Amino acid sequence: MAMVDQPLYPIAVLIDELKNEDIQLRLNSIRRLSTIARALGEERTRKELIPFLSENNDDDDEVLLAMAEELGVFIPYVGGVEHANVLLPPLETLCTVEETCVRDKAVESLCRIGAQMREQDLVEHFIPLVKRLAAGEWFTARVSSCGLFHIVYPSAPEVVKTELRAIYGQLCQDDMPMVRRSAATNLGKFAATVEAPHLKSDIMSVFEDLTQDDQDSVRLLAVEGCAALGKLLEPQDCVAHILPVIVNFSQDKSWRVRYMVANQLYELCEAVGPDPTRSELVPAYVRLLRDNEAEVRIAAAGKVTKFSRILNPELAIQHILPCVKELSTDSSQHVRSALASVIMGMAPVLGKDATIEQLLPIFLSLLKDEFPDVRLNIISKLDQVNQVIGIDLLSQSLLPAIVELAEDRHWRVRLAIIEYIPLLASQLGVGFFDDKLGALCMQWLKDKLERNARISRECCHGVDLDRVVHLTSLWSKELSSRIIVDRSSSERLAFSLHVYSIRDAAANNIKRLAEEFGPDWAMQHIIPQVLDMVTDPHYLYRMTILQAISLLAPVLGSEITSSKLLPLVINASKDRVPNIKFNVAKVLQSLIPIVDQSVVENSIRPCLVELSEDPDVDVRFFASQALQSSEQVLCSEKTLSRSEMGFDDH
């Protein structure tokens, strides 16, 4: 009897759990469907499990969503593609539920199953399913049906294909806007499966109806269809049918439709080709750049460089550049920011003369914009301008503004300038760099805390300092320790993090400059200033110098590190601030592979031994780590030396 009852156990458990009031039990049961199916076997899964799921009337969307997802990969558990049709009924039911995400997942699973089904099964089982959904009394079924036509159409007989095209046309004229939206969304996929003669007749007729829909939500989806259909049509048909629609949409009464046109204009231009773009779409684009709605101008401004590339420089200067000048002083900061993110790319398009005469003044005005994101977007793309106008003109026109931004009140702007400096240095050359920008790089190592006093007071207003310290303790030990030391000053706490980012970037910046200009330059210009700053009264500056030393050491080499940098680090081990001392231990650990073995034994290890006996637990921890590292390095070097001399341990 037990042998008879045992196979019934999985399905019985499933039924019990699916009827349980606890949603988590029901959800877990659905997610174990594949396990249950393997236990039942293919035949019992088809005859018992799938019918049970078809009749399941669970009203929880999360359970239904999980079921729709599981059934999409269920073909192997029902016996392969020859039995895939048994999965259609439960998914058909899920296509009619009210929750959108469940319907979408059911349609996705049906598409996955349909792509694997045999052609005769598609004709016999899948096409009737699509017809039933398309004729459904409740709009949800009709919405779902729109996403399935492209699966069944290629396999349908000619008579059925005609019927399917007619049904899709009816869906595009459905009384419910949600159905028409779904039809507009899926039109491109369906059109890709339709034969060319019917594409120009049936599909384009349906498309024109959608473009004139009274609901803007339908029309804006039809904009996406323009690009999709344009790729399927011949060039002359595209100009005849798609181009007028785009022009009309650019003047649509709904700003959402105009926004969609502005956002997809480059793709639409690719669909109609370069010549119609120059003659027909330039006026439409100019209208979008001067649109009354800021959202439309934002989308249009973000495409200004891409659109200019389609045109020749003369057309871009004549039509696009005047709009760009207007947008650079737009009342919306977001429009100016969108323009700043792409305008530098116009320089290669317009050429050197037009860039100098027309674009440079715009760059300068955007570099001085009151909104920091605008300045950031310009700074990050300066190299594109340098490639066109050359470093001499760049230094004369934009360098003063760059130097001014090095003192910007917004730390992200200063950070962007720092990250751009190595690239600028390689372009300027060592002589020009030393004259104009060398002092700035060292200044950033001591990024002024006072500059941010006003910001910090604003940031600290209403801040729970205990909470901030608790959260930051989850970060690196060094960072949390520094914050705790500074916690007595609420003003420092609020801005120490972002000012630290500036000094951290400045230290990396000096390393990259040393790589660019070489150790001799670093010895002449960096090391003397490092010697001055290592005794700065503010411990955060001293800690930044330690970080700079650890970054410079691999670039400068063993000799300079041992003679110039190592003594500074060892002297810093006598600092009264524990944060400095455990950073000394970390720096010494990083120097061990760089310097000679004798230096490690005579200088580094004695210092670390002393730090390992420090009263502070963090100092002892990092010193012990560094000592272990030094022992490993020394052991490996001794082993290597013995092997080179021909000895072994035996």
Side-chain angles (χ1 to χ4, degrees):
M1 186 67 182
M3 295 295 291
V4 176
D5 292 343
Q6 191 172 4
L8 298 174
Y9 178 71
I11 193 71
V13 171
L14 173 66
I15 293 171
D16 289 342
E17 289 188 350
L18 284 178
K19 292 179 178 178
N20 197 293
E21 293 183 2
D22 186 351
I23 181 177
Q24 196 58 48
L25 271 178
R26 303 204 304 274
L27 197 56
N28 290 340
S29 181
I30 289 295
R31 286 173 176 163
R32 292 201 307 269
L33 280 180
S34 58
T35 304
I36 295 169
R38 282 195 295 268
L40 289 173
E42 295 172 356
E43 185 176 355
R44 291 195 64 200
T45 296
R46 294 195 300 270
K47 293 182 177 179
E48 298 178 30
L49 180 58
I50 299 302
F52 171 76
L53 293 175
S54 300
E55 297 168 2
N56 180 33
N57 57 358
D58 198 304
D59 59 354
D60 188 272
D61 296 329
E62 195 173 357
V63 174
L64 297 178
L65 178 63
M67 186 189 303
E69 186 173 4
E70 289 289 328
L71 289 174
V73 293
F74 227 65
I75 287 180
Y77 305 117
V78 296
V81 292
E82 59 268 25
H83 298 289
N85 59 285
V86 302
L87 297 171
L88 302 185
L91 286 170
E92 181 179 356
T93 303
L94 293 173
C95 282
T96 64
V97 302
E98 192 170 350
E99 178 56 43
T100 304
C101 65
V102 176
R103 295 200 309 270
D104 290 345
K105 183 59 69 174
V107 170
E108 181 185 327
S109 293
L110 280 171
C111 290
R112 185 182 293 118
I113 292 169
Q116 301 175 61
M117 289 177 67
R118 298 175 300 184
E119 186 171 313
Q120 63 186 49
D121 291 331
L122 283 171
V123 174
E124 186 176 347
H125 300 285
F126 210 115
I127 290 177
L129 177 148
V130 174
K131 290 181 180 179
R132 287 194 299 272
L133 289 174
E137 183 178 354
W138 189 238
F139 80 92
T140 55
R142 304 198 297 277
V143 167
S144 297
S145 70
C146 298
L148 300 173
F149 278 77
H150 69 285
I151 297 294
V152 299
Y153 187 85
S155 302
E158 284 302 320
V159 176
V160 179
K161 284 184 176 179
T162 304
E163 185 181 0
L164 289 174
R165 293 195 300 271
I167 293 173
Y168 202 90
Q170 293 170 7
L171 292 171
C172 290
Q173 298 176 347
D174 196 276
D175 294 336
M176 299 295 289
M178 291 78 80
V179 178
R180 302 200 299 274
R181 283 203 296 268
S182 182
T185 301
N186 291 283
L187 182 61
K189 289 188 288 187
F190 180 46
T193 65
V194 175
E195 301 83 358
H198 300 301
L199 180 64
K200 287 192 286 187
S201 57
D202 297 348
I203 300 300
M204 290 312 300
S205 173
V206 166
F207 174 67
E208 289 174 8
D209 291 339
L210 292 172
T211 61
Q212 298 170 13
D213 197 279
D214 58 350
Q215 293 281 329
D216 62 352
S217 61
V218 177
R219 296 199 304 278
L220 67 86
L221 291 170
V223 175
E224 297 181 7
C226 289
L229 291 173
K231 295 174 183 177
L232 301 173
L233 294 169
E234 296 293 329
Q236 64 271 18
D237 294 325
C238 189
V239 171
H241 294 95
I242 302 297
L243 189 59
V245 173
I246 299 173
V247 173
N248 288 336
F249 275 156
S250 69
Q251 306 173 70
D252 196 275
K253 61 184 179 181
S254 169
W255 72 266
R256 291 180 178 84
V257 176
R258 301 197 304 275
Y259 170 84
M260 187 65 74
V261 173
N263 201 41
Q264 301 214 353
L265 192 65
Y266 183 72
E267 290 75 13
L268 298 173
C269 291
E270 288 183 327
V272 300
D275 292 335
T277 294
R278 297 186 185 107
S279 59
E280 301 289 340
L281 289 184
V282 169
Y285 184 56
V286 169
R287 279 195 300 272
L288 294 171
L289 287 170
R290 291 172 171 162
D291 198 273
N292 293 330
E293 292 290 336
E295 286 81 0
V296 179
R297 298 199 302 277
I298 290 169
K303 304 291 182 181
V304 70
T305 295
K306 279 187 171 183
F307 194 85
S308 298
R309 290 194 187 114
I310 301 175
L311 310 177
N312 55 49
E314 292 76 18
L315 278 175
I317 293 170
Q318 180 182 353
H319 297 287
I320 307 302
L321 205 52
C323 298
V324 169
K325 291 179 180 177
E326 295 172 13
L327 292 174
S328 68
T329 58
D330 195 275
S331 58
S332 168
Q333 62 190 28
H334 303 293
V335 173
R336 302 196 303 274
S337 180
L339 177 67
S341 66
V342 297
I343 190 175
M344 310 303 270
M346 289 188 69
V349 177
L350 300 185
K352 182 175 180 179
D353 294 338
T355 298
I356 295 169
E357 294 175 13
Q358 308 281 354
L359 284 182
L360 272 182
I362 300 176
F363 297 158
L364 286 170
S365 70
L366 292 173
L367 270 174
K368 297 176 181 177
D369 195 278
E370 62 180 359
F371 189 50
D373 283 6
V374 177
R375 305 196 294 273
L376 277 172
N377 288 339
I378 288 290
I379 293 163
S380 61
K381 304 287 177 61
L382 279 174
D383 57 306
Q384 296 179 1
V385 180
N386 175 47
Q387 295 168 7
V388 177
I389 67 174
I391 197 62
D392 292 335
L393 276 172
L394 178 68
S395 61
Q396 293 171 19
S397 56
L398 295 182
L399 198 59
I402 293 172
V403 173
E404 184 179 341
L405 288 173
E407 295 287 335
D408 197 275
R409 64 184 292 270
H410 290 276
W411 70 275
R412 287 185 179 86
V413 176
R414 302 200 304 278
L415 184 62
I417 286 288
I418 291 172
E419 292 171 345
Y420 176 68
I421 284 295
L423 174 63
L424 191 61
S426 65
Q427 297 164 349
L428 287 170
V430 63
F432 192 94
F433 180 84
D434 289 340
D435 291 341
K436 303 293 184 181
L437 297 175
L440 274 178
C441 293
M442 298 307 296
Q443 173 188 320
W444 280 319
L445 286 172
K446 297 177 65 174
D447 194 65
K448 296 292 181 64
L449 297 175
E450 291 80 5
R451 179 193 294 121
N452 299 284
R454 180 180 67 260
I455 302 171
S456 66
R457 282 191 289 271
E458 295 170 0
C459 292
C460 280
H461 180 69
V463 171
D464 183 349
L465 298 182
D466 289 323
R467 178 63 175 161
V468 174
V469 172
H470 170 69
L471 290 175
T472 51
S473 67
L474 301 177
W475 301 349
S476 71
K477 194 171 187 67
E478 171 190 342
L479 195 55
S480 64
S481 299
R482 190 184 79 247
I483 291 171
I484 292 169
V485 169
D486 274 357
R487 191 181 177 282
S488 59
S489 170
S490 61
E491 288 189 357
R492 288 183 183 178
L493 178 59
F495 63 81
S496 61
L497 293 180
H498 63 246
V499 176
Y500 172 79
S501 298
I502 300 296
R503 294 194 297 269
D504 180 57
N508 281 283
N509 184 37
I510 286 176
K511 172 201 170 186
R512 292 167 66 189
L513 291 173
E515 291 172 339
E516 179 68 33
F517 295 145
D520 293 338
W521 176 87
M523 278 292 295
Q524 184 179 352
H525 294 90
I526 294 179
I527 300 302
Q529 299 189 61
V530 168
L531 290 171
D532 293 338
M533 293 174 64
V534 79
T535 57
D536 192 280
H538 201 297
Y539 90 96
L540 289 176
Y541 296 157
R542 302 198 299 275
M543 196 153 62
T544 304
I545 291 300
L546 287 174
Q547 181 186 2
I549 288 173
S550 69
L551 293 171
L552 282 169
V555 181
L556 300 181
S558 174
E559 184 177 346
I560 296 176
T561 299
S562 300
S563 61
K564 299 292 184 181
L565 301 182
L566 183 57
L568 299 179
V569 180
I570 291 176
N571 287 338
S573 67
K574 305 294 192 295
D575 200 289
R576 61 184 177 83
V577 179
N579 297 55
I580 297 294
K581 289 192 283 189
F582 73 63
N583 272 280
V584 166
K586 292 165 70 175
V587 173
L588 289 174
Q589 182 176 353
S590 70
L591 297 182
I592 289 171
I594 298 171
V595 299
D596 294 336
Q597 180 178 342
S598 59
V599 176
V600 175
E601 292 177 339
N602 298 330
S603 300
I604 292 181
R605 281 184 62 83
C607 182
L608 289 173
V609 169
E610 184 178 343
L611 289 174
S612 67
E613 298 171 354
D614 193 89
D616 188 272
V617 62
D618 294 331
V619 177
R620 295 198 303 273
F621 171 79
F622 286 107
S624 300
Q625 273 197 335
L627 279 171
Q628 291 176 8
S629 177
S630 70
E631 290 169 0
Q632 291 171 0
V633 171
L634 291 175
C635 288
S636 63
E637 287 183 355
K638 288 178 180 178
T639 303
L640 180 62
S641 176
R642 286 174 60 84
S643 63
E644 289 174 349
M645 295 175 63
F647 295 105
D648 55 34
D649 293 337
H650 304 288

